[in-house]
Every structure is written in structure tokens, then in C-alpha cells.
Amino acid sequence: METTKDCNAAPTVEAGVLTVAGKSYMEDNQGKLVPLELVRPSDKLEDEMVRKIIGFAEDLSAQIARFRGHTITDLGEFDALLQQHYGLTRGGKKGNRTYQSLDRCMKVSVQVADFIDFGPQLQIAKGLIDECLNEWSADSPAEIRAIVTRAFNTDREGQINRSEIFMLLRLEIEDDRWLKAMDAIRDAMRITGSKTYVRFHKRETPDGKWQPISIDLAKVG
């Protein structure tokens, strides 16, 4: 027997089991309430396991969020003290900075990564580059053609391959059209936002190798 979930019944919920009018149910993927005795034991066990793991995951996620908030606050307050003391801010234009313990065995690094998008000038650059490659024909190195192909191929989200675009900018080619294309690429770049990354490292001795303190679940262990 199945019944449709009644939102007005104010059921009590415990570990995925809803009690309505003294009877126990579990909700299926269609929003229907299935009497508990009709739920397969393996499905109920799997449901309990997933809910337990998700509960721990949500708690851990909240702890990490609080930790990140406290860390950013502590670093900001320290920067404010330095600014007050020296009249200067710590770090460069992007705000990248590193803090170390007195024994130089612990460090906290802050890196700010910009999100870059490209304007219509990028298509002008592509046209100029194509002109160069067509004229150079067989004389153009295969490596350059490969970089150009990868640079302007879009990924599944329709995004240009930014790393390959930057590879183009590093190539030393003196052709005037190529140089104009590189200028067009630079003009096309638009910083649309940024994200701050905080990383933690330790080492046994002041001249030892830094070891990251991972807070990435896939990298722990």
C-alpha cells in the first residue's frame, strides 16, 4: 500500500522514517509514502547509511566553512595591524602573501586567482593568426598550429582554453600581424572576478621540504 505525502499532517521524522498518525512510512523518489514494512531491508539499510554519512559530511562542511571564515578574519586583522604599524599593506597587487611561524616550520599562504573572460577582440586575434598560418603554410611549425587549435577549441561549457591562449602570448614571433593578434588578445582579456585560496604547510626542520596540510577529502590519507 502506498499513500501520497500529506504536507498538512505534520509528520515526525527520524532517520528517514516518517510517523504519520502512529504509522511509520518512508518517502520514495516520487514523493509517495511507503509503509515501513513494505520497504526492502537492504533499501532501508542503505538509506540509513547514506543519511549517517551525509550528516557527518554536513557537519564537517560547516566546520570547514567556520574555519575558513576565522582564518580569513585572523589574517585580515593581522594585515590591519601591519598597515597601522608601517603604513603599508602586505603583499603585491593581487594580494598574494605568505605568513610563517617564527621557527619557519609552518606557513599559511594566501593566493588570489583572477577569473578571466575574453571580449570580441579575441575573434579579431583568431583571424590574424589564421592569416599568418595560411601564409606560412608548410613552413609554420606543427607545434604552433597545435597550440592555436587547442587555444580556440571550446570545451563542453563553451569556454576558450585559457592556458593555451597564454601559451600563444609567450611565443616569440616577429610577424606584424602576429604581434597585432597578441595585442588583440591582451585587449580582449577581462577580469570578471577573483577567488581567494588559503593553503597550509608544515615541515620538520627550517630547511626541510614543505608538506601540505590537506583539507581536500580526495587528498587526505
Side-chain angles (χ1 to χ4, degrees):
M1 175 184 175
E2 294 183 352
T3 182
T4 302
K5 182 178 179 181
D6 182 1
C7 296
N8 297 320
T12 60
V13 182
E14 182 178 355
V17 178
L18 292 79
T19 302
V20 181
K23 294 184 178 181
S24 298
Y25 301 88
M26 293 186 71
E27 185 178 349
D28 66 10
N29 63 334
Q30 295 180 349
K32 296 179 179 179
L33 297 181
V34 182
L36 188 59
E37 63 271 16
L38 298 182
V39 178
R40 290 185 301 183
S42 60
D43 289 342
K44 186 174 184 299
L45 185 62
E46 181 178 355
D47 182 272
E48 291 174 350
M49 176 194 68
V50 170
R51 290 178 185 278
K52 181 181 71 172
I53 292 173
I54 292 298
F56 284 127
E58 289 179 334
D59 288 344
L60 181 59
S61 177
Q63 289 179 35
I64 292 175
R66 290 193 296 271
F67 167 71
R68 188 181 189 282
H70 289 314
T71 299
I72 295 298
T73 299
D74 289 344
L75 296 177
E77 290 176 350
F78 180 75
D79 286 345
L81 286 175
L82 286 181
Q83 185 176 5
Q84 182 179 5
H85 184 73
Y86 294 105
L88 295 171
T89 57
R90 182 172 180 153
K93 181 179 179 181
K94 287 180 174 292
N96 296 341
R97 53 205 190 273
T98 299
Y99 308 82
Q100 295 192 40
S101 59
L102 187 62
D103 61 6
R104 297 299 184 262
C105 290
M106 303 178 189
K107 71 176 180 179
V108 177
S109 304
V110 179
Q111 295 174 306
V112 181
D114 290 330
F115 296 139
I116 298 176
D117 204 350
F118 294 92
Q121 298 91 335
L122 191 64
Q123 294 306 314
I124 303 298
K126 177 65 165 58
L128 291 169
I129 291 172
D130 286 342
E131 284 186 16
C132 291
L133 294 178
N134 290 334
E135 183 174 310
W136 298 339
S137 186
D139 296 331
S140 61
E143 294 82 0
I144 294 179
R145 288 186 176 276
I147 293 173
V148 170
T149 299
R150 292 195 300 267
F152 291 98
N153 276 349
T154 55
D155 58 21
R156 293 179 180 177
E157 286 75 35
Q159 299 297 318
I160 296 295
N161 191 323
R162 291 167 174 76
S163 62
E164 298 295 340
I165 290 288
F166 294 133
M167 282 291 294
L168 289 176
L169 293 171
R170 288 196 288 269
L171 296 176
E172 296 183 1
I173 299 175
E174 296 303 322
D175 188 290
D176 287 341
R177 286 167 302 179
W178 183 275
L179 295 176
K180 288 181 180 178
M182 297 305 103
D183 288 339
I185 289 176
R186 294 185 183 95
D187 290 341
M189 291 182 183
R190 300 171 177 175
I191 297 177
T192 58
S194 63
K195 186 172 184 179
T196 301
Y197 297 88
V198 183
R199 296 182 172 89
F200 315 92
H201 293 79
K202 287 184 66 176
R203 59 185 177 185
E204 295 298 325
T205 60
D207 58 352
K209 182 179 179 181
W210 288 109
Q211 299 295 332
I213 300 173
S214 180
I215 307 181
D216 185 341
L217 192 62
K219 297 180 180 178
V220 173

